[in-house]
Amino acid sequence: MDQYVGQDIEIVDVGMRYEGSEEYAVSDINVYIKPGEFFSFLGPSGCGKTTLLRLVSGFLEPTKGKVLIGGENMRGIGPNKRPTAMIFQNLALFPLMTVAENIGFGLEVRGVSRADRRKKAAELLELVDLPGVENKKVSDLSGGQMQRVAIARGLAVEPSVLLLDEPLSALDLKLRQHMRTELRNIQKRTGVTFIYITHDQGEALTMSDRIGVMSDSGTIEQIAAADELYNEPETVFVADFVGENNRFISTVRTANNGYAVVETSFGQQLTGINPQQLSSGQQAIAFVRPEAISVLEDSKAGENIIKCKVKSISFEGAFVTIFLDIGGNQAFFMRRHNNGSTPFPEIDSEIDICFGAHNTRLLGTGTK
Amino acid sequence: MRKFRQDAMRSFGSFGITFIWVTVGSWLIFMILLPQLIMLDFSFRPFLPLRKIGGPEDIYTLKNYIVLFTNEFHRAIFIKTIWTSVLVTTVALFVCYPIAFYLAKVARGARFAWILMGLIIPYWINELLRIFAWQLILADAGVLNKLLLAIDIISNPINFRAGNSAVIMGMVYAYILFMVFPLYNAIESLDRNQIDAARDLGSSWLRIHRRIVIPYAKPGIAVGCIMTFMLAAGSIAAPQLLGSPSSFWFSQVIYTNFECANWNQGAAYAMVLAGLCLIFIFAMLKIFKVDLKELAK
């Protein structure tokens, strides 16, 4: 696969406002994507992820800022001249052509002979693990097969960057999970830079080297590797959006040494990490992951202890979710492994739960 | 089929179904089938004075059809009508394809509405009047000649109506919608991403049209061509009003025959024209590899 050369992408101060619109669809985007990296943009639908992808592919020109691919400014260069290939959400395979013709289309454009196109198509079908379907009609393929053909078609033009616009969203769950691994493998084998757009955090977390989380306002909240994103969210949006979290609206009382003590709206004092160096009197939200919470009898550790009542229990096989009542409308739940022997607390029983200060993250509610 | 019958029975009742059968059936028989059969019968009988009709000379004959081959003048008009109709169809296709593509894939909102109105409003006016308007435009002292003279492109007025050019222009304009709408319908349903994908893979606009849009729009192209050709071949107003004696149309020959009471000859020619159109339809379907079923869509 030495014909592929992944290139880096630099998105500098990019903002995009559509004609006739007052607001920017995306703004203040600054990202450096390394050559050969698998980079995902994760965000809710309508956050401007697709706009960003179209800015990189050349279907849109940014209103502000610039996009560089391989160090070269892409302004004024159309999508047909950029070293990128796009995999569309609906794949956009050409229904009137055979599989081989689909894959060979980009080569046909470049004047490659029919025989060479066929050879290349066969090679690429091998790469995406779907050999021998050259002469099939696109409509005769299954969803997963179409997926592979679309990727082969994109790779046929030997792009430096492959842009993927939620290509797995149309597949059923099993196939989707399988294709994640497959995509990752193809990316590793070719070394092409992948930019992947998704609203599915499972996809983003499992496949990507790094992830850029985007919020509804079309800005990037945080760029980090999957584990960092999950364990150390930098903003309230990321803490809410990635994974499941308990959130307590609270006010900072004292702060020192990277930690702070807050008082929650229901009068409980909690100690937590204070990454934004919030000071006394500021509003904060205390986040704690459900799996970081344990029942006090099970473990002696934990700076934060809360007395609560068991509301309901949801058994999910490998783990158990316990919904807790701590007064008011405050939603609160913990998650525990099912080791088969530890009994579950009884419903309506009163228990003490605890969690460590290092598992409690205090984030300011103000803008970043 | 049984389910269909049961559903129909449930929604209309036996009286309703009988009513539908009788009305649709009689419409088909009396308005379409019978007149055509009478024309067919006429076309195979000789043209006779009134008193001899039903007499011993009133026998079936191919005479009326053979005239087309023996009468050089009529044959020439027939061939010219086919050729010019093909020309009208081709010109209409080239003019309408960009319009249809623009409407289907580029124009949005207000602009789309304006173009659509511009196309449709002229059709609120009678075809005859539209062609009269072209007469005014193309006349020796007409708008177009005046314009060309004023900006010094020509020094003497062009006689547009001498050859076929006025007829062709008039017809292309008269039938533009019949080409635009089938094309628009076909292109409109093309997934925008297909065009983007082709572009992303490096394709030029020309190739996108050649490889993606046109193959997809084939059924629309076939329908548009069929409609335009049939309307052009059977047209009478445009050649009558815009044509010179040299641009006599086959439909005018048919008309003249009926006018001169030679219904038999007229009927035979009308049958030939109908046959020609049928052949054209099947030729188009064959060329564009379109199913009869797809046309109905």
Side-chain angles (χ1 to χ4, degrees):
Chain A
M1 294 304 140
D2 43 31
Q3 71 263 48
Y4 295 103
V5 181
Q7 285 187 309
D8 60 347
I9 296 115
E10 229 180 316
I11 302 174
V12 185
D13 282 330
V14 161
M16 174 69 206
R17 193 179 47 174
Y18 287 99
E19 206 179 316
S21 168
E22 300 275 301
E23 282 172 47
Y24 275 85
V26 296
S27 54
D28 302 320
I29 307 287
N30 279 294
V31 190
Y32 176 77
I33 298 166
K34 288 174 256 181
E37 188 173 19
F38 195 126
F39 192 96
S40 293
F41 285 104
L42 170 68
S45 40
C47 73
K49 320 183 281 285
T50 301
T51 300
L52 199 53
L53 204 66
R54 293 180 86 84
L55 286 168
V56 176
S57 62
F59 287 110
L60 294 172
E61 282 286 354
T63 321
K64 284 195 307 199
K66 56 186 177 179
V67 175
L68 293 94
I69 300 176
E72 202 181 324
N73 193 341
M74 286 291 128
R75 182 163 288 278
I77 298 176
N80 51 339
K81 303 275 183 231
R82 293 193 184 190
T84 59
M86 183 133 154
I87 311 293
F88 290 81
Q89 186 163 17
N90 64 357
L91 305 181
L93 292 174
F94 307 129
L96 300 173
M97 301 183 195
T98 64
V99 169
E101 283 172 324
N102 260 284
I103 297 172
F105 184 80
L107 301 172
E108 179 193 320
V109 169
R110 287 159 177 77
V112 175
S113 75
R114 177 177 286 268
D116 286 349
R117 294 201 306 258
R118 276 199 76 84
K119 217 177 104 215
K120 182 85 188 194
E123 251 176 63
L124 282 160
L125 284 172
E126 201 80 43
L127 174 76
V128 297
D129 209 12
L130 189 69
V133 298
E134 285 96 324
N135 297 323
K136 278 200 177 175
K137 282 205 290 187
V138 169
S139 53
D140 291 338
L141 301 179
S142 70
Q145 290 175 322
M146 285 192 200
Q147 199 80 55
R148 290 161 200 264
V149 172
I151 292 161
R153 186 179 70 174
L155 289 173
V157 298
E158 290 172 23
S160 311
V161 182
L162 200 66
L163 308 167
L164 301 102
D165 185 5
E166 306 210 25
L168 302 186
S169 56
L171 302 181
D172 60 62
L173 186 69
K174 267 261 160 58
L175 201 53
R176 201 155 61 210
Q177 280 166 347
H178 178 68
M179 281 308 289
R180 284 181 194 172
T181 334
E182 201 70 359
L183 269 179
R184 186 70 183 149
N185 285 341
I186 291 168
Q187 195 265 336
K188 284 247 170 72
R189 260 179 276 167
T190 58
V192 170
T193 312
F194 272 39
I195 301 185
Y196 193 93
I197 293 288
T198 183
H199 66 270
D200 181 331
Q201 46 178 296
E203 274 176 22
L205 295 175
T206 49
M207 289 192 287
S208 329
D209 292 319
R210 282 191 306 154
I211 301 157
V213 180
M214 293 180 74
S215 71
D216 299 292
S217 58
T219 51
I220 291 186
E221 293 280 326
Q222 185 175 358
I223 298 169
D227 53 343
E228 195 187 329
L229 208 59
Y230 188 84
N231 295 329
E232 295 161 36
E234 279 172 8
T235 68
V236 169
F237 181 86
V238 176
D240 277 327
F241 189 71
V242 179
E244 286 185 282
N245 242 330
N246 287 298
R247 65 201 316 274
F248 302 110
I249 295 168
S250 41
T251 315
V252 180
R253 288 285 168 253
T254 56
N256 64 346
N257 270 345
Y259 281 84
V261 177
V262 297
E263 187 179 327
T264 64
S265 55
F266 57 93
Q268 177 85 38
Q269 296 240 328
L270 297 174
T271 312
I273 302 173
N274 183 12
Q276 296 173 337
Q277 273 126 43
L278 301 169
S279 51
S280 173
Q282 275 187 294
Q283 288 287 309
I285 296 180
F287 286 98
V288 55
R289 297 270 179 209
E291 68 271 16
I293 304 170
S294 45
V295 180
L296 191 56
E297 294 112 60
D298 300 347
S299 99
K300 302 287 174 231
E303 288 87 345
N304 299 313
I305 298 173
I306 301 179
K307 190 178 280 300
C308 44
K309 207 162 131 189
V310 178
K311 212 176 350 184
S312 63
I313 292 177
S314 162
F315 181 73
E316 282 162 69
F319 51 83
V320 184
T321 305
I322 302 168
F323 294 92
L324 302 164
D325 188 358
I326 46 174
N329 299 327
Q330 179 68 50
F332 190 40
F333 66 108
M334 60 178 284
R335 189 161 288 151
R336 206 178 89 182
H337 279 290
N338 172 27
N339 58 14
S341 54
T342 315
F344 308 137
E346 271 172 54
I347 291 177
D348 282 340
S349 64
E350 301 222 336
I351 55 170
D352 288 329
I353 57 93
C354 63
F355 46 92
H358 61 279
N359 288 128
T360 311
R361 246 181 124 68
L362 307 171
L363 297 168
T365 49
T367 47
K368 210 168 40 144
Chain B
M1 194 62 203
R2 165 178 285 170
K3 186 175 181 307
F4 175 75
R5 228 177 272 162
Q6 282 171 349
D7 283 350
M9 198 66 173
R10 201 171 305 130
S11 23
F12 302 114
S14 59
F15 177 77
I17 289 173
T18 316
F19 179 77
I20 291 168
W21 270 115
V22 169
T23 45
V24 173
S26 49
W27 184 74
L28 279 174
I29 292 167
F30 292 109
M31 306 296 272
I32 296 176
L33 204 60
L34 222 51
Q36 293 294 330
L37 285 175
I38 291 170
M39 283 271 279
L40 198 65
D41 182 65
F42 264 82
S43 74
F44 284 111
R45 287 175 192 276
F47 177 46
L48 294 169
L50 209 52
R51 61 191 158 78
K52 286 192 178 173
I53 288 175
E57 284 168 62
D58 196 0
I59 44 157
Y60 285 122
T61 166
L62 285 173
K63 212 181 107 232
N64 297 321
Y65 288 91
I66 293 166
V67 175
L68 185 61
F69 298 96
T70 53
N71 186 329
E72 239 171 79
F73 181 59
H74 285 180
R75 194 180 60 207
I77 291 176
F78 182 64
I79 291 167
K80 197 215 64 181
T81 302
I82 299 174
W83 163 241
T84 317
S85 298
V86 168
L87 213 61
V88 167
T89 310
T90 315
V91 173
L93 181 61
F94 276 95
V95 171
C96 295
Y97 178 81
I99 299 175
F101 182 79
Y102 186 82
L103 272 178
K105 287 284 165 260
V106 185
R108 297 250 163 83
R111 195 170 297 165
F112 175 83
W114 280 113
I115 295 173
L116 209 60
M117 293 238 287
L119 283 169
I120 291 174
I121 287 177
Y123 278 74
W124 294 353
I125 304 164
N126 184 289
E127 183 187 343
L128 222 53
L129 294 176
R130 267 181 282 147
I131 289 166
F132 267 123
W134 273 95
Q135 218 177 23
L136 294 176
I137 295 168
L138 298 174
D140 287 355
V143 182
L144 189 59
N145 268 320
K146 275 190 183 155
L147 184 77
L148 291 175
L149 284 170
I151 55 175
D152 264 347
I153 288 181
I154 53 169
S155 50
N156 288 307
I158 300 170
N159 185 359
F160 289 105
R161 298 176 57 196
N164 280 319
S165 54
V167 178
I168 293 174
M169 278 192 253
M171 279 194 194
V172 167
Y173 178 72
Y175 306 132
I176 210 163
L177 278 195
F178 296 93
M179 186 63 99
V180 167
F181 278 123
L183 286 179
Y184 169 79
N185 262 338
I187 299 172
E188 207 267 331
S189 63
L190 173 66
D191 175 16
R192 171 87 229 183
N193 283 352
Q194 300 256 323
I195 297 172
D196 283 352
R199 187 140 180 76
D200 191 54
L201 291 168
S203 185
S204 63
W205 282 113
L206 204 66
R207 190 185 293 270
I208 289 176
H209 283 285
R210 194 161 56 79
R211 292 286 273 130
I212 311 293
V213 188
I214 292 174
Y216 185 82
K218 263 186 190 170
I221 295 173
V223 175
C225 287
I226 288 168
M227 295 245 244
T228 312
F229 178 84
M230 295 215 297
L231 285 167
S235 169
I236 190 143
Q240 194 105 11
L241 294 174
L242 295 171
S244 60
S246 69
S247 58
F248 216 57
W249 216 251
F250 197 61
S251 50
Q252 287 171 291
V253 176
I254 298 171
Y255 181 76
T256 316
N257 269 309
F258 275 98
E259 214 174 27
C260 304
N262 191 347
W263 286 26
N264 308 80
Q265 188 62 60
Y269 279 4
M271 285 296 148
V272 171
L273 192 61
L276 171 75
C277 288
L278 271 179
I279 292 169
F280 185 82
I281 290 177
F282 286 109
M284 288 314 269
L285 295 183
K286 194 96 187 140
I287 290 170
F288 288 105
K289 298 195 182 77
V290 178
D291 263 357
L292 212 51
K293 263 185 280 173
E294 273 184 82
L295 286 190
K297 277 199 280 191

